[in-house]
Amino acid sequence: MKLRAAITGVGGYVPDYILTNAELESMVDTSDEWIFTRTGIRERRILKEPGKGSSDMVVKAMDELFAQTGLKPEEIDLLICATVTADMIFPDTANTICDKIGAVNAFGYDINAACSGFLYALHTGSKFIESGTYKKVVVAGVDKMSSILDYTDRATCVIFGDGAGVVLLEPDTQGFGIVDAVLRADGSGRQYLHMKAGGSIKPPTLETVLAREHYVYQEGKTVFKYAVKGMVDTVQQVLERNGLTTEDIRWLVPHQANKRIISSVGDSLGIPEDRVMVNIEKYGNTTAGTLPLCLWDYRDQLQPGDWVVLTAFGGGFTWGAILIKWKG
Ligand code: UT7
């Protein structure tokens, strides 16, 4: 059978500090009722320790992956890290992670595709396995969104949280693994979701800091509309071209940006709630972290042979869907 990349282990990590809706009520003009009914979020995790960044959350998730799979750091060939909150502008976070976990034989790089970052990284990683180039590829999705949030802006600060998830990809020839991907991008969407300063167009200055331009800027209503359509379209495409229908799908794994978006996507596709992974209530939107954290939370319910579809939409715009026959 065809050589495919199968997910053979899942690790996750969320920081201990819980930022509740009640605490946010004391920070900005909001309410638990507004946040929960408009987004489905009750609480999110925040990485508070000074000097800790995205790489440190991935290192914790990797500890779990090592324990679960017996993988040794020196066996890793490649580590791809999806993030918009790299430890530093450069070098990339993947290489820092490799150093911190002792992956001395690996190389790695970051992928910045915002909320679709894990999809992009998973697709890329799977190709290195399918081509026979590598045997052990780690794909991480992580964001420390608290480092780029304006905690005086109620429209964004209530939505996001911090967290990391990792998966191990290994070759499979028994019919399991990543079967297909439909990935899309439309850079004209950047006007609706971005960070205004800190890049090469507008490097940091005292003025950009005072103007609060180093934070997430989002026009939520517009993004919402595109998000539902983008995820529904790509899930339908990936199913159709593989001769499947939504009936065949055991688990829809949607990006966790808003419970109302998740419900709209599930309803449009005709996939009932008990086949849709949801954990936004506990973590909020962890950007590149949401998809692997869903797999992590639901790992005991995933069965070998399950058809699983991951889908996401986010900054860029970027979006897409990946079809997996779960190996477990
Ligand atoms: O992950 C990357 C992709 N991102 C997404 O997919 C996010 C997509 N967008 C969304 O999830 C939603 O648009 C939000 C959750 C961001 C906002 O929900 P909304 O229902 O679209 O609200 P809105 O922005 O239209 O605001 C409605 C009202 C406004 O007040 P007025 O103008 O009607 O008086 C806002 O000022 O709600 C107000 N509002 C709030 N009120 C209390 C906005 N944020 C808050 C808040 N607490 N935290």
Side-chain angles (χ1 to χ4, degrees):
M1 260 197 228
K2 192 177 184 301
L3 174 63
R4 289 204 174 107
I7 294 176
T8 54
V10 182
Y13 174 76
V14 288
D16 293 336
Y17 189 85
I18 298 174
L19 175 58
T20 61
N21 289 352
E23 187 176 350
L24 281 163
E25 282 176 1
S26 70
M27 295 160 67
V28 286
D29 179 15
T30 191
S31 65
D32 173 51
E33 203 262 334
W34 190 95
I35 299 171
F36 188 68
T37 54
R38 304 309 292 164
T39 71
I41 303 167
R42 290 264 187 228
E43 55 192 43
R44 66 292 288 144
R45 302 300 183 101
I46 305 294
L47 183 61
K48 288 262 188 184
E49 290 110 295
K52 298 279 183 197
S54 290
S55 68
D56 299 290
M57 291 192 282
V58 175
V59 169
K60 297 264 194 193
M62 286 302 297
D63 286 343
E64 193 186 56
L65 191 75
F66 288 133
Q68 186 194 105
T69 60
L71 174 73
K72 300 203 169 30
E74 59 274 16
E75 292 174 336
I76 301 171
D77 300 304
L78 167 65
L79 188 147
I80 306 176
C81 180
T83 189
V84 295
T85 50
D87 283 8
M88 299 176 177
I89 296 276
F90 78 93
D92 66 359
T93 313
N95 288 316
T96 304
I97 296 164
C98 288
D99 174 47
K100 288 182 176 173
I101 63 175
V104 289
N105 296 312
F107 79 108
Y109 50 86
D110 290 2
I111 286 186
N112 180 337
C115 301
S116 311
F118 187 75
L119 292 181
Y120 277 41
L122 191 64
H123 186 50
T124 311
S126 72
K127 295 297 163 192
F128 283 100
I129 300 269
E130 278 174 27
S131 63
T133 311
Y134 300 124
K135 297 221 161 8
K136 306 227 184 257
V137 174
V138 171
V139 177
V142 59
D143 271 300
K144 183 183 168 185
M145 293 306 291
S146 61
S147 67
I148 55 168
L149 288 176
D150 180 351
Y151 282 98
T152 66
D153 174 17
R154 68 178 183 175
T156 50
C157 75
V158 305
I159 302 170
F160 295 94
D162 303 341
V166 293
V167 299
L168 175 62
L169 296 179
E170 292 183 277
D172 177 276
T173 50
Q174 324 228 285
F176 298 107
I178 293 161
V179 171
D180 199 5
V182 173
L183 298 181
R184 304 295 310 279
D186 176 359
S188 68
R190 66 190 181 279
Q191 62 187 300
Y192 305 114
L193 182 51
H194 59 263
M195 188 193 290
K196 295 199 177 299
S200 59
I201 290 180
K202 211 180 202 190
T205 61
L206 185 56
E207 286 70 34
T208 62
V209 172
L210 292 174
R212 311 187 78 79
E213 290 182 339
H214 295 271
Y215 299 119
V216 172
Y217 169 84
Q218 175 170 251
E219 293 178 28
K221 262 199 175 5
T222 309
V223 179
F224 190 119
K225 197 178 66 192
Y226 284 107
V228 174
K229 183 171 176 352
M231 288 193 275
V232 169
D233 285 353
T234 50
V235 169
Q236 281 170 339
Q237 280 170 37
V238 84
L239 292 182
E240 266 166 41
R241 74 185 194 194
N242 288 279
L244 298 171
T245 71
T246 48
E247 304 268 290
D248 299 305
I249 299 310
R250 176 65 190 90
W251 291 110
L252 178 70
V253 190
H255 173 51
Q256 309 284 303
N258 188 318
K259 179 67 170 58
R260 289 184 294 136
I261 295 179
I262 296 168
S263 300
S264 292
V265 171
D267 290 349
S268 300
L269 291 167
I271 302 181
E273 273 187 10
D274 62 352
R275 293 197 270 132
V276 180
M277 292 190 188
V278 181
N279 61 11
I280 190 171
E281 187 169 334
K282 297 190 289 183
Y283 308 141
N285 181 350
T286 56
T287 304
T290 63
L291 297 177
L293 281 171
C294 276
L295 296 176
W296 181 58
D297 267 352
Y298 283 77
R299 62 197 178 284
D300 293 339
Q301 294 178 59
L302 283 156
Q303 297 295 326
D306 281 351
W307 282 111
V308 177
V309 178
L310 310 184
T311 187
F313 186 96
F317 291 145
T318 56
W319 70 103
I322 291 188
L323 176 67
I324 302 173
K325 184 106 172 163
W326 194 256
K327 177 163 180 151

